[in-house]
Amino acid sequence: MPDYLDDLRFAHVLADAADATTMARFKALDLKVETKPDMTPVSEADKAAEELIRGHLHRSRPRDAILGEEYGIEGTGPRRWVIDPIDGTKNYVRGVPVWATLISLMEAAEGGYQPVVGVVSAPALGRRWWAAKDHGAFTGRSLTSASRLRVSQVGRLSDASFAYSSLSGWEEQGRLNGFLDLTREVWRTRAYGDFWPYMMVAEGAVDLCAEPELSLWDMAANAIIVTEAGGTFTGLDGRPGPHSGNAAASNGLLHDELLGYVNQRY
C-alpha cells in the first residue's frame, strides 16, 4: 500500500514555490486582473502560480495528469494533481489576506478519483494545513513543526458554530429557507468563506460548513484534510468526497442534520 508521504513532501515544495509567487504580487498596485467567461476574476498571480506548479509537476511527476482552475486538464492516468492557484481571488485582488493555494493529489479508485494528499497554504495568514491518506491531518509551519488536527466533539446544533461563504448561491438554488432555518438553530454563524471554514472544521474551531456551488479544485484538498482530521466531507447529496459540485463538511456528529436543513425546499 502506498503511504503518499513522498507526494506530501513534494506538495509542500509546490506550495512553497506558489507562496513566493503569490506573496510577491499581493497588494501590488499594478496587479493585472481580468474577468473570465464565468464572470469571476483572475489575476496575473493566479496564472503565474499555476504555471509554476505545472512546471514543477512536468519535471518531477511527468506521468501524472494535472487539473488546474486556470489551464484545465492535461495528461491521463491513475494519478491526477488538482490545483487551485489562488482560492479566494476576490479577496486577493482587494488586499484581504484570506486566500490560499490548494494542491491535491487524487488517485483513481472505485467511485472515481479520490484525494490522497492535500495541502492548503495561506501565506498572507501565515498558515498551512495538510493531510495524506491514513496519516492524519496537520497544521504548522513545516512537516517537522506541526500539530495534529482533530474535529470537535460538539454533538448538538444549539452548541454548534456554522460557517458559510455567502447567501446568494443558496437563494439561486432554492435552498435559502432551509439554510436560514439552520442558522436559527445553531449557536453561532460566520461567513468566513472559501477554504477557511473547512480548515476550521478540521481544527475543531468550527463544527459545520457548507457551500452550494463549487468546482473540484475548490474541494479536493479540503476534503482529505477534513476527513483525515476525523470529520465528514460530502456533497449536499450526501455523496462522500469532492464530486458533487457543492460541499458539506462537519465533525461527523452533526452531518445528517446539516444535510437535512440545506436540502429543505419550499
Side-chain angles (χ1 to χ4, degrees), residues 8-24 49 52-53 56 101 103 119-123 127-128 130 140-143:
L8 177 62
R9 284 188 283 268
F10 182 57
H12 276 270
V13 172
L14 298 177
D16 289 342
D19 286 354
T21 297
T22 53
M23 285 301 292
L52 182 68
I53 292 170
H56 280 287
T101 295
I103 300 168
V119 173
V120 173
S121 190
R127 297 294 310 276
R128 184 177 290 184
W130 61 88
R141 295 189 176 276
S142 68
L143 281 164

Side-chain angles (χ1 to χ4, degrees), residues 25-251:
R25 299 299 291 156
F26 185 48
K27 296 186 178 181
L29 296 179
D30 61 344
L31 181 72
K32 295 178 182 177
V33 182
E34 303 170 6
T35 300
K36 293 190 286 188
D38 64 0
M39 302 308 294
T40 60
V42 58
S43 75
E44 63 182 84
D46 292 79
K47 294 180 178 180
E50 184 167 326
E51 288 170 352
L52 182 68
I53 292 170
R54 285 177 180 267
H56 280 287
L57 287 168
H58 288 150
R59 290 188 293 273
S60 298
R61 298 290 193 277
R63 295 182 179 180
D64 294 350
I66 307 170
L67 172 65
E69 179 176 10
E70 306 309 333
Y71 295 105
I73 182 77
E74 60 178 309
T76 59
R79 288 164 48 99
R80 178 183 296 172
W81 293 87
V82 179
I83 307 157
D84 190 341
I86 299 179
D87 182 51
T89 298
K90 291 176 183 177
N91 282 346
Y92 183 89
V93 301
R94 290 295 303 269
V96 178
V98 183
W99 50 271
T101 295
L102 278 54
I103 300 168
S104 178
L105 172 63
M106 303 185 75
E107 278 200 343
E110 186 176 347
Y113 284 84
Q114 298 299 328
V116 295
V117 167
V119 173
V120 173
S121 190
L125 293 175
R127 297 294 310 276
R128 184 177 290 184
W129 303 261
W130 61 88
K133 185 179 179 181
D134 298 327
H135 286 279
F138 296 84
T139 185
R141 295 189 176 276
S142 68
L143 281 164
T144 57
S145 177
S147 57
R148 188 152 190 165
L149 298 174
R150 296 193 184 280
V151 296
S152 75
Q153 293 299 304
V154 173
R156 297 192 306 176
L157 283 180
S158 58
D159 297 326
S161 180
F162 171 53
Y164 60 98
S165 287
S166 66
L167 296 178
S168 57
W170 299 102
E171 186 171 29
E172 290 166 5
Q173 293 190 11
R175 301 178 187 265
L176 184 59
N177 287 329
F179 173 90
L180 291 176
D181 285 347
L182 176 60
T183 67
R184 297 182 185 108
E185 291 297 320
V186 297
W187 167 64
R188 191 169 193 252
T189 63
R190 284 293 183 271
Y192 298 108
D194 301 307
F195 69 94
W196 208 8
Y198 302 96
M199 298 304 96
M200 287 190 282
V201 167
E203 291 179 343
V206 165
D207 308 301
L208 58 163
C209 66
E211 290 183 90
E213 187 174 5
L214 294 167
S215 297
L216 181 60
W217 48 75
D218 297 313
M219 297 183 281
N222 295 336
I224 183 72
I225 293 171
V226 168
T227 55
E228 284 293 321
T232 300
F233 189 105
T234 73
L236 300 182
D237 57 5
R239 180 184 176 190
H243 298 289
S244 300
N246 44 49
S250 76
N251 62 7

